[in-house]
Every structure is written in structure tokens, then in C-alpha cells.
Amino acid sequence: MRLFFAIWPPSEAAATLHGWALAVQRSCGGRVTRAETIHLTLAFLGEVEEEHLPDLKSMSAKGKPHVLPIEQSRFWAHNRIVWAGPCETPEILKSLAENLHEELKAKEFRMESGKFVSHVTLIRKARDPGPLPALPAVEWPVNEFVLVRSQLSASGSRYEVLQRFPLS
Ligand code: ATP
Ligand code: MG
């Protein structure tokens, strides 16, 4: 199973971000993330044997509810994505991601480590869009994180939430 941990926006926030991405796509092409699949990845596990699923569903990593500021948009040439996200990762989100990574390491899941840069991918396979238009106001309260299964297919990946982890 291809698995990852993520946070999901409320549908209104997702619709707003999706609308912005559709406008940007006119200048850079690529594939716009569908509104219902917009998310922020906290930890990517990749292929995991099904027998390890209980270890993941019982994660105890803690975090506090907060708000995710959507303040900047960027184009990354190295992987050709357009994304939106905070200017600086909020401390609360950073520690949630760190707690998760620590617990996953302790449970001996192999993680592609690297610095956690909070970003929400909105367009894939984009050309350089040049200066990006201003982002609309987006309200993204973070009250839980989720364990998600990703099933890749020709028509785009399909996600299934396997477990929810409330923050308190
Ligand atoms: P597609 O691959 O069809 O474009 P996707 O990237 O959304 O769709 P996945 O590849 O399953 O689907 O990735 C799920 C999430 O994990 C995405 O947020 C993706 O950016 C992230 N991700 C994928 N591969 C890695 C990786 N090697 N390291 C870190 N994050 C990754
Ligand atoms: Mg991918």
C-alpha cells in the first residue's frame, strides 16, 4: 500500500485554492490538483506492507489545533509544481511533523528524510508561470491529521482516508 500522513483543507478552502490554480494553469499548463485531493503532506511513507497498517493506525504523535496560513505561492522548477503555503512553517505544524517523523523512525518505517517544507501542490508538470497572481484569502483550520492510502492510476491518483487523528 502506498501511504502518507497529511492534513486536509475544509472544502471551501480547497475550492478557493483550486479556482486560483485554474487561473494560473492558463499561463503554465500542467495538471491542476482536483479540489477534493488538495492536501499538505506531513510524512510520505511510500510502499508499506499491509501487516504494518495497525502500527500506523495507532500512531500517538501529538499536535495542537492551529490555523495554516496560506501566504505565498511558488513555482519549483526542480519538480515542476506550483504550490501555495505558509511563508514560514508554523512552529506547531513543524513540531507535529517532527513528532510524526520521530515516531515513524522509532517504529522502523523508512522515511525519505529531508527538511520538511510545508507546501500544498496545486499544479503538477507546470511550465514556469512567471509572476504568480495574488492568492485569495483562504481559511484553513487544522484540527486533525489523517493517514491516507494513495492508488495511482492513469487518470490521476485516488486517495482513501484510512484513519483520522484529532489534535487537542
Ligand atoms: P501523482 O503521483 O499521480 O501526481 P500524487 O503525487 O498526489 O499524485 P502520490 O505520488 O501517491 O500521489 O503522493 C502522495 C503525496 O505524497 C503527495 O503529496 C506527494 O507530493 C507526496 N510524495 C510523493 N512522493 C514523495 C516523496 N518521494 N517524498 C516526499 N513526498 C512525496
Ligand atoms: Mg506523486
Side-chain angles (χ1 to χ4, degrees), residues 38-61:
I38 291 175
H39 66 275
L40 185 149
T41 299
L42 293 172
F44 178 75
L45 289 153
E47 280 301 319
V48 172
E49 296 290 335
E50 199 166 342
E51 59 177 337
H52 298 304
L53 201 50
D55 279 344
L56 296 171
K57 286 189 171 178
S58 64
M59 293 286 284
S60 60

Side-chain angles (χ1 to χ4, degrees), residues 33-130:
T33 310
R34 283 174 287 129
E36 65 271 22
T37 59
I38 291 175
H39 66 275
L40 185 149
T41 299
L42 293 172
F44 178 75
L45 289 153
E47 280 301 319
V48 172
E49 296 290 335
E50 199 166 342
E51 59 177 337
H52 298 304
L53 201 50
D55 279 344
L56 296 171
K57 286 189 171 178
S58 64
M59 293 286 284
S60 60
K62 294 279 178 283
K64 297 220 163 299
H66 58 282
V67 170
L68 183 74
I70 301 293
E71 302 164 323
Q72 68 163 337
S73 57
R74 302 264 301 270
F75 168 69
W76 276 342
H78 71 279
N79 56 0
R80 296 175 54 200
I81 66 166
V82 173
W83 61 269
C87 287
E88 233 177 289
T89 304
E91 282 303 319
I92 296 181
L93 182 61
K94 207 188 284 177
S95 59
L96 172 61
E98 281 168 6
N99 291 346
L100 258 177
H101 285 236
E102 286 306 311
E103 188 175 351
L104 288 167
K105 261 189 263 165
K107 288 181 168 173
E108 293 179 356
F109 286 98
R110 273 194 298 132
M111 299 287 304
E112 305 203 8
S113 35
K115 199 170 166 291
F116 170 65
V117 182
S118 50
H119 68 283
V120 178
T121 303
L122 297 176
I123 308 178
R124 290 178 167 75
K125 302 207 161 53
R127 295 184 302 270
D128 189 340

